[in-house]
Amino acid sequence: MKWLPLVFIFICGFTLNGLTQQKFEREYRIKEQQVPKEALSFLSKVASEQKVKWFREESPQGTSIEAKVVIEERLHSIEFDTLGKVQDVEILIKSKSIPKATFDQMNKQLNNVFQKYQYSKIQLQYIGNVYSLTQAINSNSPDQTIVKNYETVIKGKNEDGMKLYEITFDESGQIIGKEEIVFKNADHLEY
């Protein structure tokens, strides 16, 4: 009987692992003076002339700083840790920008998860070192060291009803992350 609690923990862990995580975020504008110097330095190398909007994002995973800027007519969201080290770059794209085989695989994956779904937002996500990310933004062409993902917001219907999800796919179209987007409920009016 000593092994019974271990079996229970294993079964619960296995069951919970298959469930969708929930995504809670709070994002608000900040002034440039509140941005770490390392983040400002990175932005000066990729968007020196563009207007940048700065945000602080808080979630259960931690706090980050995000720069939103239009570079070559495409919206870029560049995320930094609180010390200013770049974490990733996300570029808003349309589905036609995704290679057909990858997009077909993404849809195949979504058909296995949802009865019905619709893309609300698609971003190309680059993860890499500072030098490679700088080159990827400036040349619009990532090198081989860059990890390339697709981060999407999906309005999906399944047995739980219609909900919003953030689903991340790898470069081949396989799901590597899925979180239900949960909005903050307010008991008071917000202006």
Side-chain angles (χ1 to χ4, degrees), residues 38-70:
E38 191 174 336
L40 293 170
S41 174
F42 180 85
L43 253 292
S44 72
K45 295 173 188 162
V46 297
S48 59
E49 302 296 319
Q50 288 81 0
K51 182 179 177 180
V52 179
K53 292 182 180 179
W54 291 99
F55 296 86
R56 185 174 193 88
E57 189 175 280
E58 297 171 353
S59 71
Q61 291 75 33
T63 301
S64 63
I65 307 296
E66 188 171 22
K68 294 187 181 182
V69 58
V70 176

Side-chain angles (χ1 to χ4, degrees), residues 134-148:
T134 303
Q135 295 303 322
I137 294 170
N138 287 335
S139 68
N140 202 17
S141 177
D143 64 27
Q144 297 299 325
T145 65
I146 294 282
V147 175
K148 189 163 112 176

Side-chain angles (χ1 to χ4, degrees), residues 14 87 130 166 177 191:
F14 182 78
Q87 295 178 321
V130 173
E166 181 179 280
Y191 294 94

Side-chain angles (χ1 to χ4, degrees), residues 75-166:
L75 179 62
H76 288 61
S77 296
I78 304 169
E79 191 168 358
F80 304 89
D81 66 16
T82 55
L83 299 176
K85 183 178 180 205
V86 66
Q87 295 178 321
D88 66 39
V89 174
E90 297 169 348
I91 304 165
L92 188 63
I93 62 171
K94 297 200 181 292
S95 61
K96 65 183 177 184
S97 300
I98 301 171
K100 183 179 178 354
T102 301
F103 194 61
D104 288 348
Q105 183 61 33
M106 290 166 64
N107 287 321
K108 183 178 176 183
Q109 297 283 306
L110 292 174
N111 283 325
N112 291 333
V113 176
F114 301 111
Q115 298 162 358
K116 187 174 164 183
Y117 64 89
Q118 175 181 338
Y119 290 91
S120 296
K121 180 179 176 182
I122 303 174
Q123 292 179 307
L124 174 59
Q125 180 187 60
Y126 293 147
I127 301 171
N129 64 49
V130 173
Y131 177 78
S132 295
L133 289 172
T134 303
Q135 295 303 322
I137 294 170
N138 287 335
S139 68
N140 202 17
S141 177
D143 64 27
Q144 297 299 325
T145 65
I146 294 282
V147 175
K148 189 163 112 176
N149 297 320
Y150 297 98
E151 187 177 279
T152 64
V153 174
I154 302 290
K155 185 177 181 182
K157 180 180 180 183
N158 56 25
E159 59 277 353
D160 297 331
M162 189 71 79
K163 296 181 181 177
L164 275 180
Y165 298 89
E166 181 179 280

Side-chain angles (χ1 to χ4, degrees), residues 16-22 165 178-180:
L16 292 175
N17 193 28
L19 297 177
T20 302
Q21 295 182 359
Q22 292 186 324
Y165 298 89
K178 178 182 171 200
E179 297 177 310
E180 178 186 341

Side-chain angles (χ1 to χ4, degrees), residues 2-21:
K2 289 181 181 180
W3 54 269
L4 192 57
L6 291 175
V7 171
F8 179 74
I9 290 170
F10 175 77
I11 291 171
C12 286
F14 182 78
T15 304
L16 292 175
N17 193 28
L19 297 177
T20 302
Q21 295 182 359

